[in-house]
Amino acid sequence: IGEQAFQRGELVSAELVALTYGALVRQLFLDYQAPEDVNEELERIGYNIGLRLVDDFLARSAAPPCRSFQATAEIVARVAFRMYLGVSARPANFAADNTAYSILFDTNPLAEFVEVPDAVANTLWYSNIFCGVIRGALEMVQFSVRASFTRDMLRGDECNEIRVCLLRELEETVPLDKET
Amino acid sequence: IGEQAFQRGELVSAELVALTYGALVRQLFLDYQAPEDVNEELERIGYNIGLRLVDDFLARSAAPPCRSFQATAEIVARVAFRMYLGVSARPANFAADNTAYSILFDTNPLAEFVEVPDAVANTLWYSNIFCGVIRGALEMVQFSVRASFTRDMLRGDECNEIRVCLLRELEETVPLDKET
């Protein structure tokens, strides 16, 4: 279903997003300098994107509602990655108590054309915006999570891995009637 | 030919690039505050992207070489816009002496989801990165130009218009032999 939604949606070239994202990362480096701060800022920017993207996702994906945290793994990896990035990702490494999983993927459109300077190669998580997007989107469907890169092909790892850990399930808030 | 290259290339969702670009613009506002400075910075970032994109473009587009400035209008509008943005643009308003033309387009993937605050609505050229991309790319094929938005649907105009003015044609520089 990710594939169909991907084909139905408007598409732009991966080069364009890679270069736009590269400009964003470069700008953040000018502002913050420390790669740890850039990581954090990318995550925060992604979080805001995730909060906004989830409505579009639910409208276009026709994905079934996630009844459990565990079920979000499949949707994030197989539907959302396909729909927004045009790449296949797969869920893996589920924790025994189902409070954590990994998203693995081999192709990363954001990281095309990228050469990370040696000085920050082991501290910058170049694509950290993804972690924020996942956190923001899952929060909107009542799962408070922390997401972080654990492997990145830009660092020479054999695949990209984002670890998603459940912090808590949020109560569905019932909107209050404005009259009362 | 833009369409074929578009379909052959890697694609990502337009939402993703719109939101990434929005984050870049927001970050530049934090840094520069004055919308005129943000315009300039977006143009500069685009210029650097244009310099890099042109190789990819020439390799993938199979577009014929532009023998004249006038001929670049057709390639930019009908091939490059299609290939990178997935939208149709058209060349128009050629100057009588062929030193200027406009690129017109009705759909702008960068400007989706965007609400420009009233305070900067008439000073910010939100998508000004395009002007820089055009300048950078044309410089690589020996045309020094200035490109600027003259109409923007975000400002209520009936279409988007980028005016491209030829400053001068550059000499083809013959690479010097490193041994000499």
Side-chain angles (χ1 to χ4, degrees):
Chain A
I1 54 180
E3 181 61 27
Q4 288 167 19
F6 181 69
Q7 294 294 349
R8 266 202 315 274
E10 286 185 63
L11 302 174
V12 297
S13 86
E15 282 87 351
L16 187 72
V17 76
L19 292 168
T20 304
Y21 184 72
L24 176 64
V25 176
R26 198 167 301 113
Q27 194 62 35
L28 292 173
F29 258 106
L30 291 175
D31 296 348
Y32 295 94
Q33 288 161 12
E36 296 80 3
D37 293 343
V38 174
N39 291 341
E40 201 176 302
E41 199 57 20
L42 286 170
E43 204 275 345
R44 194 192 55 76
I45 289 170
Y47 173 73
N48 286 318
I49 290 179
L51 293 179
R52 298 189 64 177
L53 212 54
V54 78
D55 284 334
D56 174 72
F57 177 74
L58 294 175
R60 289 207 295 126
S61 69
C66 291
R67 296 288 173 204
S68 68
F69 172 68
Q70 192 182 356
T72 64
E74 196 73 25
I75 302 293
V76 170
R78 299 207 194 274
V79 187
F81 266 69
R82 186 89 209 127
M83 194 163 133
Y84 291 105
L85 297 169
V87 305
S88 301
R90 52 199 184 280
N93 304 338
F94 285 87
D97 62 358
N98 281 322
T99 61
Y101 59 77
S102 295
I103 306 284
L104 305 181
F105 54 109
D106 306 311
T107 309
N108 178 0
L110 290 189
E112 278 186 64
F113 307 110
V114 176
E115 289 170 50
V116 175
D118 285 348
V120 298
N122 289 312
T123 37
L124 176 68
W125 291 109
Y126 183 82
S127 308
N128 219 33
I129 198 169
F130 288 148
C131 297
V133 173
I134 291 171
R135 178 167 68 92
L138 289 185
E139 189 171 299
M140 293 298 278
V141 295
Q142 316 301 328
F143 296 103
S144 171
V145 305
R146 188 183 59 238
S148 44
F149 267 91
T150 45
R151 285 187 286 176
D152 189 335
M153 293 166 79
L154 284 179
R155 297 190 177 197
D157 294 324
E158 77 273 27
C159 72
N160 302 303
E161 174 171 11
I162 295 174
R163 189 75 181 154
V164 183
C165 300
L166 180 66
L167 301 178
R168 61 196 176 93
E169 295 192 27
L170 303 168
E171 300 283 316
E172 184 98 43
T173 52
V174 180
L176 288 173
D177 187 327
K178 280 180 188 149
E179 299 298 68
T180 60
Chain B
I1 55 181
E3 180 62 27
Q4 287 168 21
F6 181 70
Q7 294 293 348
R8 268 202 315 274
E10 285 185 64
L11 302 174
V12 298
S13 86
E15 281 88 351
L16 188 70
V17 77
L19 292 168
T20 304
Y21 184 71
L24 176 63
V25 176
R26 197 168 302 112
Q27 194 63 35
L28 291 173
F29 259 105
L30 292 175
D31 295 350
Y32 295 94
Q33 288 161 14
E36 295 80 4
D37 293 344
V38 173
N39 291 341
E40 199 177 304
E41 199 56 23
L42 286 170
E43 204 274 347
R44 195 192 56 75
I45 289 170
Y47 173 74
N48 287 318
I49 291 179
L51 293 179
R52 299 190 63 178
L53 212 53
V54 78
D55 284 334
D56 175 71
F57 178 75
L58 294 174
R60 289 207 293 125
S61 68
C66 291
R67 295 287 171 207
S68 68
F69 173 68
Q70 192 181 358
T72 64
E74 196 72 24
I75 302 294
V76 170
R78 299 207 194 272
V79 187
F81 266 70
R82 185 88 208 130
M83 193 163 135
Y84 290 105
L85 297 168
V87 305
S88 302
R90 52 199 184 280
N93 305 337
F94 285 88
D97 62 358
N98 280 323
T99 60
Y101 58 76
S102 296
I103 306 284
L104 305 181
F105 54 109
D106 306 311
T107 309
N108 178 359
L110 291 189
E112 278 186 63
F113 306 110
V114 176
E115 289 171 50
V116 175
D118 285 346
V120 298
N122 290 312
T123 37
L124 176 69
W125 291 109
Y126 183 82
S127 306
N128 218 34
I129 197 169
F130 288 146
C131 297
V133 173
I134 292 171
R135 178 166 69 93
L138 289 186
E139 188 171 300
M140 293 298 278
V141 294
Q142 315 301 327
F143 297 103
S144 172
V145 304
R146 188 184 59 238
S148 44
F149 267 92
T150 46
R151 286 188 285 176
D152 188 335
M153 293 166 81
L154 283 179
R155 296 189 178 197
D157 296 323
E158 75 275 26
C159 72
N160 302 302
E161 174 171 10
I162 296 174
R163 190 75 182 154
V164 184
C165 299
L166 180 66
L167 301 178
R168 60 196 177 94
E169 294 194 29
L170 304 168
E171 298 283 317
E172 185 99 41
T173 53
V174 180
L176 289 172
D177 187 327
K178 279 178 188 150
E179 301 297 71
T180 59

